[in-house]
Amino acid sequence: FELRMAAQVAKGTEAVYVVLKPVEIKAIRTSVGMSQSVSANTFRLRLDTLKGWERGKRQPDATAANF
């Protein structure tokens, strides 16, 4: 990630998307003490979708990943 790109992101002319690994998705959820069910309901996801992300069977798209 270079300075030029950082400036473009700050101006809104460039977007950065973070792709999380399954273990990171689960770690974020558990670090705030949420069950899969509560987390899915909080973010208006299907429980199967969240489970798929955490198992590595699915990947969140760019919008979901940045949500």
Side-chain angles (χ1 to χ4, degrees), residues 2-51:
E2 58 188 74
L3 185 57
R4 179 181 56 78
M5 184 177 273
Q8 290 174 332
V9 170
K11 290 180 194 174
T13 59
E14 184 73 33
V16 174
Y17 299 99
V18 176
V19 178
L20 298 172
K21 296 175 187 171
V23 68
E24 294 170 318
I25 295 169
K26 184 175 182 177
I28 291 168
R29 176 182 60 76
T30 59
S31 74
V32 294
M34 285 187 166
S35 67
Q36 285 180 323
S37 180
V38 169
S39 184
N41 286 332
T42 300
F43 294 103
R44 297 182 181 176
L45 299 168
R46 291 187 52 200
L47 182 56
D48 290 342
T49 298
L50 180 60
K51 286 181 178 181

